[in-house]
Amino acid sequence: MGSILGDLPSFDPHNFSHFRPSDPSNPSKMTPTTYHPTHSRTIPPPDQVITTESKNILIRNFYRRAEEKMRPKRAASEFLAQEPGCKQPRASMTTSDTP
Amino acid sequence: MFRSSNVAARIFERQIRTPAPGTSVHRARLFYENMVPSHTIYDVECPDYSFRKFTEDGRYLISFSRNNQDLIVYRPRWLSFCCKEENCMHDLPQKAKKFESFFTELYTVSLASGNEQICKDCFLYLESNQFGVFVTSTALLHDAPSSGEAVPGIPSIDKITFHLLRLEDGDVLDKKVFHNDFITFNHNVGVFLYDDLLAIVSLRFQTIHILQIRDSGNLVDVRAIGTFCREDDELFLNSNAQYMPVSDQSQLHSENHVETCAHQNQLYQNSSFLSGIKQRLLSFIFRAIWNEESDDAQRVQSLKKKFYFHFQDYVDLIILKVQFLDRHHLLMKFGSVDGVLSVSRNADQQPAFFAVYNMETTEIVAFYQNSAEELYLFFEMFCDHFHPHSKNSPHMNFISSHSNNIHAFEQLRGIKKKPNFQFLKKMLGSLPFSCQSQNPSPYFDQSLFRYDEKLISATDRPRPSTDHPIKFTTRREQYAHKFKIKSGPEAGSTDGRAKKISSFLFHPFLPLTLSIQQTPISQPSQPSINIHFRK
């Protein structure tokens, strides 16, 4: 048959008799289905490396609690004078100022 | 996991079905429901040694001579005999009553000489190289002369030697000696082995010695945490000795050569420096209280109440016990000097604290009192992480705990009605865990068998003996009795008044168990040993 796989034995030599292997000189008209992303919001950073955290979950919890305790509490006066731009803009589902 | 409880059907099913992901060990363990040590040989004739424990890989049985000076290592093997008839359904031959039919003596090594004795309760096994760590010590001195560095009130032992042995042939590879020190040996309390790191808590000098066991068989000092935290702290303090008070300087110059590190430490003790670990601890407590309040005035008030009022109590805390959480983190238990020799019943009354310490950064990461609800929540949710996962002994990771077994978890839920003060203290009293104190035998797996935990459990401690046998029933088929373990003579003990204690040595993976019944030390007599195995 002249395929890449060669003349391998089979149960019935008439199997695959209609099969035509893809010929590089005659490109197939069918392209396989491919999927492309429609946005670039979720692309990982190019230098991202995923590794296992060396600290186990128990030790991570100890550190997290310690960080919470060690973070100095802000005085009450500081809470009142907050910058206006510190909140994230929320994607609005409905318009807020409809008459 | 298997459809049938018949062993042949299970073997066939094993051929054709793969287990659910991650459960291949659990499925293999199900076969232990079919292979149980149901046959008992009572009163086996055995040599007069005290049999201590099987190693975790099941290759050796460790025993000590009665005078606690020799180590005798046995290899467990199975009883074999031949009979003339075709169907050997008759009773076992006479030689089945002999200890030597089940165990082959490999060698005897004399570890202790003179007035030294082997600490029977302290034995650690390194599975990857088949090394064993044994401890010998001289007698305890209660009224020890206090040297400058030692904590007053703690007894002293003249000489404590740690022996590293290759168990294959009994060669003593290395030794480490401590002089005039005190280390708690009962049930591996003062030592902890994780992978190749060995932590030894020197109570008298308040130092945690971290040693590494090399493949070549050497015990190498890694660090000593206590007076100094970083390796170069001592060098730094020495080089800045010019800033020390004049009286100490004259002492420094009068010493022509300094012999041991303890001698140098004495100088710093006189100059009223707190030990390195104590300084780390106090500064952590200070910063935590400081950051609780936002107002400066309130901070000072809070510090006065919570820190300075108890300052001397914090300074007087001593390190009682230590365990590894991973290669860099230690969980330390602090308490008072009275907690050193007190019985565990009274230990609940003593105030105790836990601290997590990072050896690399030399920082205290967390500090809790022994009734802290937060620490108890971690204990309840992540109990298995308090037993650090060791890649060298994978089967030790399958010991039932309330984190990996639903039945153990339900048991915990049952006793926990409301987390009150006493309950929290009792549960956290088991921390830090002692290493290699639990038996990895599948017969203690709570998802396979149900048994009375008061009479027998995976923790290898001797328990009061009962006349009736201890029953093991399967979890799957309700109340399906599988096997019984009975210590002592078959007909029960004749002397009803003498209280006896039993200890059970389960082989890690063979259906072979030794039950040893003996009278307490006050009335010594020949112990009675039974062998339980699958006939």
Side-chain angles (χ1 to χ4, degrees):
Chain A
M1 219 203 297
S3 76
I4 328 163
L5 297 170
D7 292 319
L8 294 172
S10 64
F11 274 115
D12 183 355
H14 294 295
N15 281 341
F16 300 106
S17 53
H18 293 291
F19 177 71
R20 300 281 173 266
S22 59
D23 195 357
S25 60
N26 182 18
S28 163
K29 292 175 193 81
M30 279 184 58
T31 55
T33 326
T34 52
Y35 294 90
H36 299 279
T38 54
H39 61 82
S40 59
R41 287 198 297 268
T42 51
I43 292 177
D47 54 350
Q48 177 178 272
V49 175
I50 299 177
T51 51
T52 310
E53 167 88 43
S54 58
K55 286 189 245 168
N56 64 40
I57 189 169
L58 174 67
I59 293 176
R60 258 184 278 149
N61 271 302
F62 280 132
Y63 274 95
R64 191 163 13 118
R65 292 272 197 258
E67 267 166 54
E68 281 166 21
K69 278 188 201 161
M70 288 306 174
R71 197 183 311 140
K73 284 211 174 145
R74 295 159 83 188
S77 53
E78 288 176 40
F79 277 117
L80 292 170
Q82 248 178 12
E83 304 88 59
C86 67
K87 284 207 168 166
Q88 288 264 351
R90 184 160 50 130
S92 56
M93 303 294 284
T94 57
T95 52
S96 53
D97 48 357
T98 49
Chain B
M1 263 186 250
F2 286 122
R3 284 188 205 146
S4 157
S5 56
N6 175 282
V7 65
R10 283 181 164 185
I11 289 173
F12 184 67
E13 202 179 326
R14 185 175 68 171
Q15 286 180 7
I16 57 173
R17 271 175 55 194
T18 47
T23 59
S24 47
V25 174
H26 300 91
R27 191 170 85 157
R29 281 188 152 204
L30 281 173
F31 281 98
Y32 282 95
E33 285 179 355
N34 303 95
M35 316 271 274
V36 292
S38 46
H39 186 84
T40 308
I41 300 179
Y42 292 95
D43 252 339
V44 172
E45 290 163 21
C46 56
D48 190 23
Y49 298 139
S50 56
F51 300 101
R52 182 66 189 90
K53 137 184 215 180
F54 284 102
T55 54
E56 286 145 19
D57 52 7
R59 281 183 230 232
Y60 308 104
L61 173 67
I62 307 291
S63 47
F64 302 111
S65 59
R66 283 283 160 207
N67 62 359
N68 289 338
Q69 292 199 320
D70 297 329
L71 162 75
I72 304 103
V73 174
Y74 286 91
R75 171 141 355 244
R77 63 189 182 104
W78 211 254
L79 173 70
S80 61
F81 57 91
C82 53
C83 51
K84 289 189 191 139
E85 296 99 34
E86 275 194 18
N87 293 328
C88 283
M89 298 302 284
H90 59 66
D91 296 329
L92 296 168
Q94 197 54 30
K95 74 167 187 172
K97 275 203 78 122
K98 288 215 172 94
F99 185 77
E100 285 76 20
S101 313
F102 287 90
F103 296 92
T104 321
E105 183 177 329
L106 290 180
Y107 51 82
T108 306
V109 175
S110 179
L111 288 178
S113 55
N115 58 347
E116 286 177 344
Q117 291 215 317
I118 303 177
C119 307
K120 279 200 301 189
D121 282 336
C122 189
F123 159 65
L124 296 169
Y125 183 64
L126 188 62
E127 196 179 324
S128 51
N129 307 29
Q130 294 176 42
F131 289 161
V133 178
F134 297 91
V135 189
T136 57
S137 70
T138 53
L140 189 66
L141 297 169
H142 280 279
D143 301 320
S146 57
S147 65
E149 187 58 19
V151 176
I154 294 185
S156 164
I157 299 174
D158 255 346
K159 183 178 174 199
I160 301 172
T161 317
F162 283 80
H163 303 261
L164 182 71
L165 247 87
R166 185 173 40 228
L167 285 178
E168 252 176 304
D169 46 15
D171 272 348
V172 178
L173 299 170
D174 203 354
K175 288 186 198 185
K176 175 112 177 108
V177 184
F178 294 88
H179 290 284
N180 301 319
D181 208 336
F182 183 75
I183 301 170
T184 325
F185 294 120
N186 314 347
H187 308 289
N188 295 345
V189 162
V191 292
F192 199 93
L193 181 70
Y194 170 60
D195 262 354
D196 57 346
L197 292 177
L198 177 64
I200 300 169
V201 181
S202 151
L203 284 172
R204 200 147 184 262
F205 296 108
Q206 283 297 294
T207 310
I208 304 167
H209 299 271
I210 311 281
L211 308 173
Q212 188 183 25
I213 302 177
R214 290 275 162 88
D215 286 340
S216 56
N218 295 99
L219 283 170
V220 176
D221 285 321
V222 174
R223 60 182 90 223
I225 303 163
T227 319
F228 304 112
C229 289
R230 290 190 193 273
E231 290 96 6
D232 52 356
D233 278 351
E234 200 180 339
L235 177 67
F236 179 81
L237 285 168
N238 270 344
S239 60
N240 289 318
Q242 56 194 317
Y243 301 114
M244 282 162 59
V246 178
S247 58
D248 298 331
Q249 272 200 31
S250 60
Q251 253 177 322
L252 188 62
H253 289 309
S254 68
E255 294 297 333
N256 284 328
H257 78 105
V258 183
E259 276 164 308
T260 60
C261 149
H263 204 85
Q264 270 182 319
N265 294 348
Q266 199 170 3
L267 302 172
Y268 302 123
Q269 193 73 7
N270 295 339
S271 69
S272 76
F273 272 139
L274 287 172
S275 68
I277 187 76
K278 199 57 72 65
Q279 290 188 21
R280 295 281 194 283
L281 187 66
L282 290 171
S283 65
F284 180 86
I285 301 170
F286 181 93
R287 282 184 299 135
I289 297 174
W290 182 263
N291 289 320
E292 266 172 18
E293 306 289 338
S294 47
D295 186 45
D296 272 351
Q298 280 175 346
R299 276 174 176 167
V300 174
Q301 281 306 314
S302 190
L303 275 174
K304 274 192 207 166
K305 250 190 345 193
K306 295 186 194 172
F307 184 66
Y308 291 111
F309 189 66
H310 301 288
F311 186 79
Q312 195 53 44
D313 296 329
Y314 284 132
V315 168
D316 290 338
L317 285 176
I318 60 165
I319 304 171
L320 290 179
K321 197 173 169 189
V322 140
Q323 71 156 98
F324 281 102
L325 290 177
D326 68 359
R327 279 188 88 88
H328 302 299
H329 294 89
L330 291 174
L331 176 69
M332 302 205 259
K333 182 173 178 181
F334 288 89
S336 62
V337 178
D338 306 321
V340 171
L341 291 176
S342 66
V343 186
S344 57
R345 278 193 296 277
N346 297 331
D348 289 344
Q349 315 302 329
Q350 310 278 348
F353 299 88
F354 295 102
V356 177
Y357 174 75
N358 185 329
M359 293 196 289
E360 297 296 318
T361 61
T362 69
E363 279 175 5
I364 299 268
V365 176
F367 183 74
Y368 297 102
Q369 201 170 356
N370 65 341
S371 52
E373 203 167 325
E374 196 172 282
L375 184 63
Y376 172 75
L377 279 172
F378 288 154
F379 175 72
E380 195 183 283
M381 291 195 290
F382 310 120
C383 175
D384 279 348
H385 290 278
F386 282 99
H387 293 284
H389 172 96
S390 170
K391 54 186 184 303
N392 293 326
S393 336
H395 50 267
M396 294 297 274
N397 302 322
F398 293 95
I399 296 177
S400 292
S401 73
H402 63 256
S403 282
N404 62 25
N405 192 289
I406 186 76
H407 305 283
F409 184 66
E410 272 165 16
Q411 217 172 27
L412 178 70
R413 273 285 157 96
I415 60 174
K416 171 192 173 186
K417 312 271 181 332
K418 204 172 86 169
N420 66 354
F421 197 66
Q422 290 304 327
F423 174 77
L424 293 174
K425 271 179 121 170
K426 183 179 153 211
M427 295 311 293
L428 293 177
S430 55
L431 288 179
F433 286 125
S434 307
C435 75
Q436 297 183 10
S437 60
Q438 294 205 299
N439 197 305
S441 172
Y443 299 109
F444 290 120
D445 192 337
Q446 299 247 12
S447 52
L448 295 176
F449 295 101
R450 188 198 296 145
Y451 46 89
D452 190 342
E453 290 237 18
K454 292 189 200 71
L455 298 177
I456 196 170
S457 82
T459 322
D460 53 315
R461 275 180 195 240
R463 281 150 205 279
S465 205
T466 55
D467 266 341
H468 54 266
I470 302 167
K471 290 197 185 134
F472 282 71
T473 53
T474 48
R475 289 265 178 201
R476 275 162 220 286
E477 301 157 55
Q478 283 292 75
Y479 308 120
H481 162 71
K482 277 293 166 181
F483 65 101
K484 292 189 258 206
I485 302 279
K486 184 180 182 335
S487 62
E490 187 170 3
S493 61
T494 46
D495 184 3
R497 276 172 300 169
K499 264 194 244 178
K500 294 190 200 269
I501 47 173
S502 298
S503 44
F504 302 95
L505 307 182
F506 275 72
H507 192 277
F509 54 84
L510 292 174
L512 172 69
T513 308
L514 290 180
S515 63
I516 304 166
Q517 188 185 65
Q518 53 202 5
T519 46
I521 304 167
S522 50
Q523 312 137 18
S525 65
Q526 182 82 349
S528 138
I529 297 184
N530 301 342
I531 292 185
H532 314 267
F533 70 111
R534 183 181 185 270
K535 193 169 159 188

